Amino acid sequence: MLNDDFKACSKVVILASVSKSLINFRGHLIRAMVANGHEIVCVAPDENATGHLKDLGAQLLTVPLARSGLNPLNDFLYLAGLVRIMRYISPDVVLAYTIKPVIYGSLAARISRVPRFFSMITGLGYAFVNETSKQRCAGLIAKSLYRAALKNNRKVFFQNPDDLNEFVDYKIVEPNKTVLINGSGVSLEDYTQTPLSNAPKFLLIARLLKDKGIY
């Protein structure tokens, strides 16, 4: 994120779909923000990382979220919960990642008049796989929601150029709002390099899903 988007001490809200991802993938970012004097409030649907986040100097609030599915009532309740939290906290900056926090967080920030909203697209996911009629329908809905939500984003971060190009090609986001980063990375302090004897040969490191090309 850009330095001039932060005050000397900003209130920053980070939206996630699973609390443990805040530790595994955003822990170093949170620690750095706290060290720079920012007040960090994380929002997730569960409390599993409360203690770890407290150790980093951050607070965790919960809002129920149905991570999968297209039930409009569940999604509306999630949106309403985010609006309630943003109006209560009045953050200066909000960062969201994964599809529903990005979409509904962006909309909640617009409703709550949050001045600076940033999104991170960590992958395209199920909604961008066009093999079945259900997936195509989900894709049309997701693209429309993304398009409406990302209009008020200051910047949208992508972790690979293919996702970035797809969002631009579908006119979901304006090219001048996109930023390409090198992914979440792996902390060599937490995961040290270990010598291997008779090193195995990896063909694929991913979840065993058809979408990943496992066949």
Side-chain angles (χ1 to χ4, degrees):
M1 281 176 276
L2 308 178
N3 289 334
D4 55 2
D5 283 300
F6 287 84
K7 301 175 183 177
C9 181
S10 296
K11 288 183 180 180
V12 182
V13 168
I14 303 178
L15 307 180
S17 57
V18 180
S19 68
K20 284 188 176 180
S21 72
L22 292 160
I23 302 300
N24 295 336
F25 303 122
R26 311 287 167 246
H28 287 270
L29 174 63
I30 292 170
R31 184 183 291 113
M33 287 182 171
V34 171
N36 284 323
H38 303 300
E39 179 183 343
I40 309 300
V41 179
C42 300
V43 180
D46 63 89
E47 299 179 334
N48 294 333
T50 301
H52 293 290
L53 288 169
K54 186 176 180 181
D55 291 341
L56 293 177
Q59 180 184 2
L60 177 64
L61 300 178
T62 60
V63 175
L65 166 64
R67 292 172 57 199
S68 59
L70 298 172
N71 186 312
L73 177 58
N74 289 339
D75 290 347
F76 174 78
L77 292 175
Y78 178 60
L79 172 63
L82 294 181
V83 169
R84 185 169 60 254
I85 282 178
M86 290 186 194
R87 286 179 172 172
Y88 173 72
I89 296 174
S90 297
D92 303 298
V93 178
V94 176
L95 169 67
Y97 60 96
T98 67
I99 181 168
K100 289 193 176 183
V102 165
I103 289 173
Y104 296 111
S106 294
L107 296 174
R110 185 184 305 173
I111 294 169
S112 307
R113 300 183 183 277
V114 174
R116 300 170 184 85
F117 193 97
F118 298 84
S119 293
M120 182 182 297
I121 308 301
T122 55
L124 298 185
Y126 173 88
F128 283 76
V129 179
N130 297 316
E131 293 185 356
T132 67
S133 57
K134 183 179 178 181
Q135 288 172 330
R136 285 189 288 273
C137 179
L140 288 173
I141 295 172
K143 292 180 182 75
S144 298
L145 289 172
Y146 265 132
R147 196 174 290 114
L150 296 181
K151 284 182 179 179
N152 72 317
N153 276 222
R154 186 66 65 92
K155 292 291 181 181
V156 181
F157 299 96
F158 292 86
Q159 296 189 329
N160 69 69
D162 293 333
D163 292 354
L164 188 157
N165 291 334
E166 190 146 1
F167 268 59
V168 171
D169 291 344
Y170 279 115
K171 301 188 185 321
I172 295 172
V173 65
E174 298 169 16
N176 64 335
K177 286 187 175 182
T178 63
V179 178
L180 183 63
I181 60 175
N182 291 325
S184 297
V186 174
S187 170
L188 297 181
E189 297 174 5
D190 299 328
Y191 301 95
T192 56
Q193 190 175 33
T194 303
L196 293 175
S197 57
N198 300 320
K201 294 179 175 60
F202 293 101
L203 298 178
L204 174 71
I205 303 175
R207 289 176 295 162
L208 299 182
L209 299 176
K210 182 181 178 182
D211 303 349
K212 304 294 184 184
I214 190 66
Y215 287 167

